[in-house]
Structure formats: structure tokens, C-alpha cells
Amino acid sequence: MTKPLANRIALVTGASRGIGFATAIALAKAGAHIVATARTQGGLEELDDEIRKIGGSATLVPLNLTDSDGIARLGAGLHERYGKLDILVGNAGVLGPSSPIGHIELKTFNDVIAVNVSANFQLIRCMEPLLKQSDAGRAVFITSGAANKATAYVSPYAASKAALETLARAWAQETANTKLRVNLFNPGPVRTRMRATLMPGEDPATLDTPEQVAEFIVPLCAPDWTETGKFYDYKSRTLMSFRAPA
């Protein structure tokens, strides 16, 4: 039986653990070849082992996404090897400090923006030509409810996710008349290391796992997915359109 993502190339950032790790495996199960990026070589090797166990294949790319030249080189490498990219999952992100705004150093704020916003901007720049070479390019960016709640004490993270959402929505509008589809995915509270850092007293057993979440990301990456510029909320299992404030 032909798998739904057979012969498709999927780039997943932040793939060494959490939602990125689980999404890479879920996409591999569906037949995609995974190009996995992360800062940690060990985590990528663990991912490769798991993908091999299910009969899938992966290319490992140790990369700090603040290295914009590295992202450009990755795009050039994908062009040379495959001539296209079918799926981009922009998952990599950092939480940053949990402090009042006045207590946060400018460099610390900029470090969060560099990973959560600027890196995704560079990914869009470098991967758009490859995604347009696909017969059904799909891009999904992982966001957070903090973006619209303006959550106190995590202002760099909240601001960065709000910026990411606007960036992705603008890109969706720019590419609306192409075969490329661009969407956002909000997983909500999930059993990840980032969540445990933010909420150390929370019982992780009360949260869904990254594996459960990943199953809902895969459909947004499929060729038969037609929506663009939308926001999928995992907690409510709802695909939403953005609305301006009243």
C-alpha cells in the first residue's frame, strides 16, 4: 500500500525532542523522507534510530537556527540533492526568561526573537523557492496561545509567537495563488521539556503527549490539504480563521 507522503521531502526544525521529534516520526511513518535539524547531535541520532525502526529514512542536519548562513546552505543543499521541498515544519523555538519585562536584558530578548522569529524568516526566504517546486508544498509553523493572550512574565516568548503568526499569515497571503499552503498549529499545553520548565508544579500525566499532537500536524502537510492562512487549535480540534479585533 502506498503511503500518503511517499516520495515527499519534509524538513522539520527542532527535531531532536518534543513535538519536533514526534512530528518527524509521524511524517516518516506516512512515507516522507525527513530532513531533521536541531542543535543536539545526540537527539538527532536518537531520532534517526527511531525512524529506521519503522522503515523510514532521514537526513540529519546539526544546525543552530541562529546561523542564517547555515540555513541558506541547507536550502542550497536541498536544491542540489532534491530540487524541491514538499513540507516545512517550523517547530524549533525557545521559551526564554520567565520574568517581568523590566527585569529582562535586551540581549536575552533578542536571543528569543532570533530563534522564534528571525530564523523562521530566513527559513521562509530560503525554502520558498524549493516549496514552490513541489506539486503541493506545505508549511506549518508551531505557535502558542501566549501569542494572543499576551501572557504575563513570558513577554519575549509571547511577542515572538505573535510576530511568527503575522509573518506566516502574510506569507500565506503572498502565496495564496500558488500551490503552496501555509498554516499555523497551536498545540496548547503538551508534555514537553519546555512546558515542564514553565510549569514545574504541573502533573505531566494530565497533558497530552507530543506523539498525540503530531498525529494532527501530519494532515496539514498532506497534498490533499487545501486551506491556507489558517490556525489549527489542537485543544479544541478546530481550524480557525483569523479575525481582526472588533
Side-chain angles (χ1 to χ4, degrees):
M1 183 180 295
T2 303
K3 294 183 178 181
L5 299 182
N7 301 315
R8 306 197 79 75
I9 310 302
L11 171 60
V12 182
T13 69
S16 62
R17 62 175 183 258
I19 292 173
F21 188 97
T23 300
I25 292 174
L27 291 170
K29 283 181 180 177
H33 174 78
I34 306 302
V35 179
T37 76
R39 291 175 296 177
T40 53
Q41 177 76 31
L44 289 175
E45 291 174 355
E46 290 177 20
L47 173 67
D48 188 51
D49 289 343
E50 292 302 314
I51 288 176
R52 287 175 182 272
K53 286 179 185 177
I54 59 173
S57 61
T59 299
L60 308 182
V61 184
L63 177 65
N64 188 326
L65 290 181
T66 60
D67 178 4
S68 58
D69 290 340
I71 293 175
R73 288 192 298 271
L74 174 58
L78 291 173
H79 173 72
E80 182 177 347
R81 185 168 182 179
Y82 303 110
K84 67 164 186 172
L85 179 65
D86 300 295
I87 299 163
L88 168 62
V89 179
N91 164 76
V94 294
L95 179 61
S98 181
S99 302
I101 294 173
H103 295 181
I104 299 170
E105 297 291 335
L106 178 59
K107 181 185 182 303
T108 304
F109 179 85
N110 287 338
D111 288 345
V112 175
I113 297 297
V115 176
N116 295 358
V117 186
S118 301
N120 284 303
F121 169 77
Q122 180 70 341
L123 280 167
I124 290 170
R125 290 184 65 250
C126 297
M127 302 305 160
E128 180 183 71
L130 294 168
L131 286 161
K132 286 184 174 179
Q133 289 300 310
S134 172
D135 60 347
R138 301 290 178 261
V140 180
F141 293 95
I142 307 303
T143 185
S144 166
N148 56 73
K149 293 177 183 175
T151 306
Y153 306 115
V154 290
S155 58
Y157 181 75
S160 69
K161 289 299 185 179
L164 174 62
E165 288 188 1
T166 301
L167 185 67
R169 290 168 59 200
W171 189 29
Q173 290 200 54
E174 292 174 6
T175 56
N177 294 325
T178 73
K179 295 177 182 177
L180 175 59
R181 308 286 87 181
V182 180
N183 292 282
L184 290 147
F185 185 97
N186 176 26
V190 182
R191 200 182 308 173
T192 62
R193 185 182 301 180
M194 181 184 289
R195 180 69 183 184
T197 299
L198 179 64
M199 305 289 287
E202 186 175 52
D203 180 3
T206 63
L207 305 176
D208 282 1
T209 65
E211 290 74 21
Q212 289 173 294
V213 171
E215 294 301 321
F216 286 81
I217 296 174
V218 172
L220 278 69
C221 302
D224 61 359
W225 181 268
T226 59
E227 299 283 359
T228 196
K230 298 295 179 67
F231 175 101
Y232 189 90
D233 182 69
Y234 171 75
K235 186 175 181 179
S236 65
R237 310 295 199 269
T238 304
L239 184 68
M240 300 178 178
S241 296
F242 286 86
R243 297 179 181 176

